[in-house]
Amino acid sequence: MPKIDVYNVEGKKVSTCDLKEEVFGIEPNETVVHSVLVNYLANQRQGTQSTKTRAEVRGGGRKPWRQKGTGRARQGSIRAPQWIKGGIALGPKPRCYKYRVNKKEKRLAIRSLLSSKVLENNLVVVDKFDFKEIKTKQMATAMKNLKVEEKALIVLPSNNEVIQKSARNLEGVRTSSVNTINVYDLLKYNKLVLTVDTIKKIEEVYA
């Protein structure tokens, strides 16, 4: 069972924490992580791009010149795709890119990334964030004390307005909760900051 040190917001070690092997100690599955990431990015696409076909552009109701005898190529409409201001052939139309991935794959991908954070020493555990008021400087000091000075994802056990608003103006820092963590954020942010309560809740959900 993996063990990890627990720090307070002053950056001092206060205890150690046991991590469940089946959540934080598995061998990362890169294939599944990639599959779930591609699914996540596809589901974020709006699919609102659109072009007009020759049936939708304005004009072109009359044949521009007669079929034969002019010496020019035959044309049926000035709004055919080869004409300037003509319609677009085979252009994109609004569509939905969403598709589903097996729930077991999603859970395995999350567990794989949590385990890789432990393997790479990119997991930082805090006993708690007990801020009394919304203050960006307070969160910046805490991040500095914890030696987290790069891109960091702070995962909370549940929504906490004081912590979320204290961190939102810090460059490279993002807050999330256990029920909204995803593969994209875990890959994007180098450091993962969890509280002891967050770990317990993650283990309840993903064990």
Side-chain angles (χ1 to χ4, degrees):
M1 183 177 283
K3 281 184 178 290
I4 194 163
D5 295 334
V6 179
Y7 299 89
N8 59 21
V9 290
E10 283 82 41
K12 296 175 183 175
K13 179 181 171 181
V14 291
S15 63
T16 58
C17 177
D18 291 327
L19 303 173
K20 280 193 177 179
E21 187 82 33
E22 57 265 41
V23 179
F24 292 94
I26 68 168
E27 183 179 344
N29 189 322
E30 293 182 8
T31 304
V32 171
V33 170
H34 177 265
S35 173
V36 175
L37 176 64
V38 171
N39 168 254
Y40 176 85
L41 293 174
N43 291 347
Q44 302 307 301
R45 296 184 68 173
Q46 291 184 322
T48 54
Q49 73 278 41
S50 183
T51 53
K52 289 184 178 181
T53 65
R54 61 186 293 171
E56 296 166 317
V57 291
R58 186 182 179 87
R62 173 171 70 86
K63 190 174 174 66
W65 52 76
R66 69 178 191 268
Q67 182 83 345
K68 293 177 179 292
T70 63
R72 290 182 289 187
R74 53 193 175 188
Q75 300 291 331
S77 168
I78 61 169
R79 291 297 175 253
Q82 72 270 23
W83 285 71
I84 294 173
K85 297 184 181 179
I88 303 296
L90 308 176
K93 284 290 185 183
R95 55 167 285 197
C96 178
Y97 290 89
K98 292 183 186 297
Y99 68 96
R100 296 183 66 182
V101 165
N102 191 305
K103 188 187 286 185
K104 288 183 179 178
E105 283 187 303
K106 285 185 179 180
R107 291 167 66 88
L108 177 57
I110 296 289
R111 295 203 309 271
S112 293
L113 289 173
L114 291 173
S115 298
S116 70
K117 293 294 183 189
V118 176
L119 289 170
E120 296 162 5
N121 293 319
N122 282 331
L123 176 61
V124 178
V125 181
V126 185
D127 57 350
K128 59 183 176 178
F129 289 105
D130 53 353
F131 299 163
K132 305 298 182 197
E133 58 181 337
I134 299 168
K135 215 167 185 65
T136 303
K137 188 176 181 181
Q138 207 171 11
M139 180 59 80
T141 302
M143 292 289 101
K144 189 174 181 181
N145 292 339
L146 293 167
K147 297 179 181 175
V148 179
E149 297 177 1
E150 49 193 309
K151 282 189 172 182
L153 175 66
I154 302 170
V155 181
L156 306 168
S158 58
N159 287 333
N160 186 318
E161 189 179 17
V162 174
I163 298 170
Q164 289 168 330
K165 287 188 174 181
S166 295
R168 68 182 176 183
N169 283 336
L170 291 176
E171 187 178 358
V173 175
R174 177 180 169 83
T175 56
S176 182
S177 56
V178 173
N179 59 353
T180 60
I181 54 175
N182 57 72
V183 170
Y184 180 79
D185 283 342
L186 288 172
L187 283 169
K188 180 179 178 181
Y189 295 90
N190 300 328
K191 291 287 185 181
L192 178 62
V193 181
L194 307 178
T195 66
V196 174
D197 289 340
T198 303
I199 288 175
K200 290 177 183 175
K201 197 158 184 180
I202 286 174
E203 290 175 342
E204 283 176 17
V205 174
Y206 291 97

